[in-house]
mmCIF file of all heavy atoms in Angstrom:
data_model
loop_
_atom_site.group_PDB
_atom_site.id
_atom_site.type_symbol
_atom_site.label_atom_id
_atom_site.label_comp_id
_atom_site.label_asym_id
_atom_site.label_seq_id
_atom_site.Cartn_x
_atom_site.Cartn_y
_atom_site.Cartn_z
ATOM 1 N N ALA I 3 -25.293 22.494 0.906
ATOM 2 C CA ALA I 3 -24.306 21.785 1.762
ATOM 3 C C ALA I 3 -23.491 20.851 0.945
ATOM 4 O O ALA I 3 -22.244 20.716 1.133
ATOM 5 C CB ALA I 3 -25.063 21.054 2.876
ATOM 6 N N LYS I 4 -24.116 20.189 -0.009
ATOM 7 C CA LYS I 4 -23.411 19.316 -0.958
ATOM 8 C C LYS I 4 -22.401 20.039 -1.747
ATOM 9 O O LYS I 4 -21.177 19.592 -1.831
ATOM 10 C CB LYS I 4 -24.363 18.620 -1.862
ATOM 11 C CG LYS I 4 -23.781 17.602 -2.805
ATOM 12 C CD LYS I 4 -24.828 16.925 -3.698
ATOM 13 C CE LYS I 4 -24.126 16.023 -4.628
ATOM 14 N NZ LYS I 4 -25.101 15.324 -5.553
ATOM 15 N N GLN I 5 -22.787 21.168 -2.286
ATOM 16 C CA GLN I 5 -21.776 22.020 -3.139
ATOM 17 C C GLN I 5 -20.610 22.500 -2.199
ATOM 18 O O GLN I 5 -19.482 22.515 -2.634
ATOM 19 C CB GLN I 5 -22.494 23.129 -3.824
ATOM 20 C CG GLN I 5 -21.596 23.836 -4.720
ATOM 21 C CD GLN I 5 -21.068 22.871 -5.909
ATOM 22 O OE1 GLN I 5 -21.814 22.145 -6.450
ATOM 23 N NE2 GLN I 5 -19.825 22.993 -6.116
ATOM 24 N N ALA I 6 -20.949 22.869 -0.914
ATOM 25 C CA ALA I 6 -19.920 23.415 -0.085
ATOM 26 C C ALA I 6 -18.950 22.282 0.267
ATOM 27 O O ALA I 6 -17.734 22.600 0.313
ATOM 28 C CB ALA I 6 -20.609 23.960 1.217
ATOM 29 N N PHE I 7 -19.477 21.079 0.415
ATOM 30 C CA PHE I 7 -18.576 19.873 0.729
ATOM 31 C C PHE I 7 -17.648 19.627 -0.480
ATOM 32 O O PHE I 7 -16.483 19.415 -0.348
ATOM 33 C CB PHE I 7 -19.391 18.717 1.141
ATOM 34 C CG PHE I 7 -18.578 17.482 1.407
ATOM 35 C CD1 PHE I 7 -17.943 17.277 2.583
ATOM 36 C CD2 PHE I 7 -18.462 16.568 0.382
ATOM 37 C CE1 PHE I 7 -17.183 16.181 2.795
ATOM 38 C CE2 PHE I 7 -17.624 15.396 0.618
ATOM 39 C CZ PHE I 7 -17.008 15.202 1.797
ATOM 40 N N ILE I 8 -18.223 19.612 -1.578
ATOM 41 C CA ILE I 8 -17.470 19.456 -2.859
ATOM 42 C C ILE I 8 -16.310 20.413 -3.042
ATOM 43 O O ILE I 8 -15.200 20.137 -3.284
ATOM 44 C CB ILE I 8 -18.363 19.297 -4.101
ATOM 45 C CG1 ILE I 8 -19.252 18.077 -4.039
ATOM 46 C CG2 ILE I 8 -17.557 19.361 -5.364
ATOM 47 C CD1 ILE I 8 -20.307 17.998 -5.056
ATOM 48 N N ASP I 9 -16.735 21.663 -2.796
ATOM 49 C CA ASP I 9 -15.784 22.774 -2.931
ATOM 50 C C ASP I 9 -14.634 22.632 -1.888
ATOM 51 O O ASP I 9 -13.473 22.880 -2.143
ATOM 52 C CB ASP I 9 -16.402 24.167 -2.719
ATOM 53 C CG ASP I 9 -17.342 24.466 -3.880
ATOM 54 O OD1 ASP I 9 -17.236 23.895 -5.008
ATOM 55 O OD2 ASP I 9 -18.165 25.368 -3.815
ATOM 56 N N ALA I 10 -14.994 22.269 -0.678
ATOM 57 C CA ALA I 10 -14.008 22.169 0.440
ATOM 58 C C ALA I 10 -13.012 21.072 0.102
ATOM 59 O O ALA I 10 -11.788 21.188 0.364
ATOM 60 C CB ALA I 10 -14.690 21.974 1.762
ATOM 61 N N VAL I 11 -13.495 19.856 -0.268
ATOM 62 C CA VAL I 11 -12.711 18.737 -0.643
ATOM 63 C C VAL I 11 -11.679 19.078 -1.760
ATOM 64 O O VAL I 11 -10.564 18.758 -1.705
ATOM 65 C CB VAL I 11 -13.477 17.559 -0.976
ATOM 66 C CG1 VAL I 11 -12.718 16.402 -1.515
ATOM 67 C CG2 VAL I 11 -14.299 17.075 0.319
ATOM 68 N N SER I 12 -12.218 19.780 -2.783
ATOM 69 C CA SER I 12 -11.376 20.144 -3.874
ATOM 70 C C SER I 12 -10.305 21.079 -3.533
ATOM 71 O O SER I 12 -9.143 21.000 -4.039
ATOM 72 C CB SER I 12 -12.137 20.608 -5.112
ATOM 73 O OG SER I 12 -12.760 21.735 -4.711
ATOM 74 N N GLN I 13 -10.569 21.953 -2.617
ATOM 75 C CA GLN I 13 -9.571 22.944 -2.174
ATOM 76 C C GLN I 13 -8.536 22.373 -1.201
ATOM 77 O O GLN I 13 -7.453 22.817 -1.040
ATOM 78 C CB GLN I 13 -10.188 24.209 -1.470
ATOM 79 C CG GLN I 13 -11.026 24.999 -2.511
ATOM 80 C CD GLN I 13 -11.759 26.108 -1.939
ATOM 81 O OE1 GLN I 13 -11.560 26.371 -0.559
ATOM 82 N NE2 GLN I 13 -12.565 26.869 -2.666
ATOM 83 N N ALA I 14 -9.004 21.285 -0.448
ATOM 84 C CA ALA I 14 -8.104 20.760 0.574
ATOM 85 C C ALA I 14 -7.034 19.851 0.065
ATOM 86 O O ALA I 14 -6.169 19.550 0.728
ATOM 87 C CB ALA I 14 -9.002 20.053 1.556
ATOM 88 N N ALA I 15 -7.135 19.401 -1.238
ATOM 89 C CA ALA I 15 -6.198 18.427 -1.762
ATOM 90 C C ALA I 15 -6.107 17.244 -0.873
ATOM 91 O O ALA I 15 -5.013 16.902 -0.293
ATOM 92 C CB ALA I 15 -4.891 19.053 -2.092
ATOM 93 N N PRO I 16 -7.155 16.389 -0.740
ATOM 94 C CA PRO I 16 -7.086 15.197 0.169
ATOM 95 C C PRO I 16 -6.036 14.098 -0.355
ATOM 96 O O PRO I 16 -5.795 14.127 -1.491
ATOM 97 C CB PRO I 16 -8.566 14.709 0.158
ATOM 98 C CG PRO I 16 -9.043 15.182 -1.195
ATOM 99 C CD PRO I 16 -8.396 16.520 -1.423
ATOM 100 N N VAL I 17 -5.529 13.360 0.638
ATOM 101 C CA VAL I 17 -4.647 12.308 0.322
ATOM 102 C C VAL I 17 -5.237 11.047 0.974
ATOM 103 O O VAL I 17 -5.694 11.044 2.185
ATOM 104 C CB VAL I 17 -3.235 12.582 0.923
ATOM 105 C CG1 VAL I 17 -2.297 11.476 0.731
ATOM 106 C CG2 VAL I 17 -2.695 13.885 0.286
ATOM 107 N N ILE I 18 -5.181 9.855 0.284
ATOM 108 C CA ILE I 18 -5.678 8.698 0.746
ATOM 109 C C ILE I 18 -4.566 8.145 1.634
ATOM 110 O O ILE I 18 -3.464 7.855 1.173
ATOM 111 C CB ILE I 18 -6.006 7.669 -0.304
ATOM 112 C CG1 ILE I 18 -7.220 8.233 -1.097
ATOM 113 C CG2 ILE I 18 -6.329 6.327 0.268
ATOM 114 C CD1 ILE I 18 -7.562 7.338 -2.329
ATOM 115 N N LEU I 19 -4.880 7.791 2.876
ATOM 116 C CA LEU I 19 -3.821 7.302 3.807
ATOM 117 C C LEU I 19 -4.097 5.713 3.859
ATOM 118 O O LEU I 19 -5.248 5.353 4.117
ATOM 119 C CB LEU I 19 -3.960 7.909 5.193
ATOM 120 C CG LEU I 19 -3.771 9.396 5.247
ATOM 121 C CD1 LEU I 19 -3.966 9.928 6.571
ATOM 122 C CD2 LEU I 19 -2.304 9.803 4.752
ATOM 123 N N GLU I 20 -3.037 5.033 3.670
ATOM 124 C CA GLU I 20 -3.215 3.480 3.813
ATOM 125 C C GLU I 20 -2.355 3.104 4.979
ATOM 126 O O GLU I 20 -1.302 3.615 5.380
ATOM 127 C CB GLU I 20 -2.582 2.922 2.473
ATOM 128 C CG GLU I 20 -3.359 3.246 1.276
ATOM 129 C CD GLU I 20 -2.807 2.744 0.003
ATOM 130 O OE1 GLU I 20 -1.670 2.153 0.026
ATOM 131 O OE2 GLU I 20 -3.502 2.848 -1.044
ATOM 132 N N PRO I 21 -2.770 1.964 5.599
ATOM 133 C CA PRO I 21 -1.992 1.418 6.741
ATOM 134 C C PRO I 21 -0.679 0.948 6.282
ATOM 135 O O PRO I 21 -0.509 0.419 5.196
ATOM 136 C CB PRO I 21 -2.832 0.275 7.243
ATOM 137 C CG PRO I 21 -3.794 -0.071 6.079
ATOM 138 C CD PRO I 21 -3.962 1.154 5.322
ATOM 139 N N ILE I 22 0.309 1.129 7.144
ATOM 140 C CA ILE I 22 1.696 0.705 6.897
ATOM 141 C C ILE I 22 2.090 -0.385 7.927
ATOM 142 O O ILE I 22 1.894 -0.116 9.091
ATOM 143 C CB ILE I 22 2.684 1.837 6.989
ATOM 144 C CG1 ILE I 22 2.412 2.901 5.882
ATOM 145 C CG2 ILE I 22 4.131 1.353 6.854
ATOM 146 C CD1 ILE I 22 3.201 4.160 6.167
ATOM 147 N N VAL I 23 2.520 -1.455 7.395
ATOM 148 C CA VAL I 23 2.787 -2.675 8.238
ATOM 149 C C VAL I 23 4.186 -3.113 7.791
ATOM 150 O O VAL I 23 4.488 -3.282 6.675
ATOM 151 C CB VAL I 23 1.807 -3.747 8.053
ATOM 152 C CG1 VAL I 23 2.146 -4.963 8.888
ATOM 153 C CG2 VAL I 23 0.380 -3.283 8.402
ATOM 154 N N GLU I 24 5.071 -3.362 8.805
ATOM 155 C CA GLU I 24 6.317 -3.935 8.587
ATOM 156 C C GLU I 24 6.291 -5.406 9.065
ATOM 157 O O GLU I 24 5.905 -5.692 10.143
ATOM 158 C CB GLU I 24 7.494 -3.203 9.290
ATOM 159 C CG GLU I 24 8.795 -3.717 9.057
ATOM 160 C CD GLU I 24 9.837 -2.935 9.667
ATOM 161 O OE1 GLU I 24 9.710 -1.630 9.832
ATOM 162 O OE2 GLU I 24 10.884 -3.443 9.991
ATOM 163 N N MET I 25 6.660 -6.279 8.166
ATOM 164 C CA MET I 25 6.589 -7.651 8.614
ATOM 165 C C MET I 25 7.867 -8.461 7.983
ATOM 166 O O MET I 25 8.488 -8.004 6.991
ATOM 167 C CB MET I 25 5.328 -8.459 8.161
ATOM 168 C CG MET I 25 5.096 -8.364 6.631
ATOM 169 S SD MET I 25 3.548 -9.117 6.000
ATOM 170 C CE MET I 25 2.400 -8.200 6.958
ATOM 171 N N LYS I 26 8.236 -9.531 8.657
ATOM 172 C CA LYS I 26 9.217 -10.365 8.251
ATOM 173 C C LYS I 26 8.669 -11.701 7.730
ATOM 174 O O LYS I 26 7.837 -12.250 8.443
ATOM 175 C CB LYS I 26 10.199 -10.724 9.387
ATOM 176 C CG LYS I 26 11.422 -11.536 8.954
ATOM 177 C CD LYS I 26 12.239 -11.754 10.291
ATOM 178 C CE LYS I 26 13.351 -12.656 9.967
ATOM 179 N NZ LYS I 26 14.284 -12.841 11.131
#
Side-chain angles (χ1 to χ4, degrees):
K4 180 179 178 180
Q5 189 59 46
F7 178 78
I8 291 170
D9 291 343
V11 169
S12 65
Q13 291 175 9
V17 176
I18 296 175
L19 300 176
E20 298 178 350
I22 298 174
V23 178
E24 184 176 330
M25 58 179 60
K26 180 178 179 180

